Amino acid sequence: MMINLVIFIYGIIFGSFYNVVGLRVPEKKSIVTPRSACSSCGHQLTPIELIPVISYFIQKGKCRGCGSRISPIYPTFELLTGILFAAAPYFTGWSGELVVALTLISLFMIITVSDIHYMIIPDKILIWFAGFFLLERIIWPLDPWWNSLLGALTGFLLLLVIAIISKGGMGFGDVKLYALIGFVLGFKLVLLSFFLSTLFGAVIGGLAMLLKIVKRQQPIPFGPFIAAGTLVAYFYGNELINLYLQILS
Ligand SMILES: [Zn+2]
């Protein structure tokens, strides 16, 4: 239990960092300097104000410089990263696969920020994570090992076809991302990931249009749905497929 709490706290700290990465990398800014600042008055955050989640509550959600409201998205995002980090060992056990799971969560947190803010999945991020995943799948391979290659090819081709058919509705960033997802998850689960992402996108996107949160022609970033669909496929995939087969038979 203690160890889960430690992972949770690490998740919150990393979440805070991933938010900075997701916001700065697409703008080609350094992820180390300068320190984060208030977007309204430019007040640079002091060490106390940089403490994830807690500082938000200490400051009652307001900037110390100008008193303008800080979006609750930030602490929510940090908490969510912490929760996902802490939940991961329940699915993977204390094995090498836990490292893969945490890497996957990290990739998706960064991508979600970039895609929501800029509608971009930065190449730089994908290349970095491709390096990590390659190394991890050499150390902790899928069974059989070539399932990674088959998955990567499947993810790439499937999204490439859709990108071509949709004429830009699906960006090329998504194609590259799905090659990476396929490499980590393998053939079967990458297909499930795509099915779930599309389902989540259709349901939530449709709901957002119905409630007039977004306009019909407004493009919706697909990254967060890919993140949700893939994590569900990765953590629950085999149970879902077994359940489906049971219903069929
Ligand atoms: Zn301010």
Side-chain angles (χ1 to χ4, degrees):
M1 221 40 229
M2 190 60 201
I3 186 85
N4 287 88
L5 182 67
V6 172
I7 294 188
F8 175 66
I9 292 169
Y10 265 101
I12 289 177
I13 296 167
F14 274 99
S16 167
F17 175 62
Y18 294 155
N19 189 56
V20 173
V21 173
L23 285 175
R24 289 190 186 179
V25 167
E27 298 211 299
K28 310 224 180 329
K29 287 183 190 159
S30 161
I31 53 172
V32 191
T33 53
R35 257 182 298 165
S36 299
C38 168
S39 54
S40 300
C41 69
H43 162 73
Q44 224 176 46
L45 304 190
T46 60
I48 286 183
E49 290 165 281
L50 281 170
I51 303 171
V53 184
I54 295 169
S55 65
Y56 179 83
F57 290 102
I58 291 177
Q59 295 162 230
K60 301 194 177 73
K62 283 178 189 144
C63 167
R64 280 197 183 174
C66 64
S68 70
R69 199 173 143 273
I70 302 167
S71 168
I73 287 179
Y74 297 109
T76 308
F77 179 85
E78 290 160 356
L79 270 178
L80 181 64
T81 314
I83 291 167
L84 288 171
F85 265 45
Y90 290 102
F91 297 99
T92 61
W94 298 96
S95 63
E97 195 60 28
L98 177 59
V99 180
V100 180
L102 296 182
T103 313
L104 200 61
I105 294 166
S106 303
L107 167 67
F108 285 136
M109 297 320 283
I110 296 171
I111 279 178
T112 297
V113 173
S114 294
D115 208 17
I116 287 177
H117 281 271
Y118 309 105
M119 298 281 289
I120 277 177
I121 297 174
D123 272 340
K124 213 173 174 179
I125 300 295
L126 291 177
I127 291 167
W128 262 100
F129 277 89
F132 285 127
F133 285 132
L134 186 64
L135 198 67
E136 289 172 6
R137 276 289 175 249
I138 289 172
I139 305 173
W140 304 292
L142 290 176
D143 181 25
W145 66 268
W146 46 261
N147 195 7
S148 274
L149 301 184
L150 185 62
L153 192 67
T154 307
F156 181 78
L157 290 179
L158 177 67
L159 271 280
L160 184 65
V161 169
I162 291 168
I164 292 169
I165 293 173
S166 73
K167 293 188 180 118
M170 185 78 74
F172 201 64
D174 299 313
V175 180
K176 288 178 273 187
L177 174 61
Y178 252 99
L180 206 53
I181 292 171
F183 185 77
V184 180
L185 270 66
F187 172 71
K188 202 167 58 175
L189 293 185
V190 76
L191 289 179
L192 181 64
S193 150
F194 180 72
F195 172 74
L196 292 174
S197 307
T198 318
L199 184 71
F200 292 162
V203 171
I204 295 171
L207 217 60
M209 274 180 211
L210 217 64
L211 298 173
K212 305 227 160 68
I213 298 170
V214 293
K215 291 192 193 81
R216 190 163 287 273
Q217 290 306 323
Q218 190 179 342
I220 298 173
F222 199 49
F225 301 115
I226 298 179
T230 305
L231 288 179
V232 172
Y234 179 72
F235 286 133
Y236 290 104
N238 290 315
E239 283 87 346
L240 282 176
I241 290 170
N242 288 339
L243 188 74
Y244 179 70
L245 293 177
Q246 263 175 15
I247 294 169
L248 277 189
S249 61

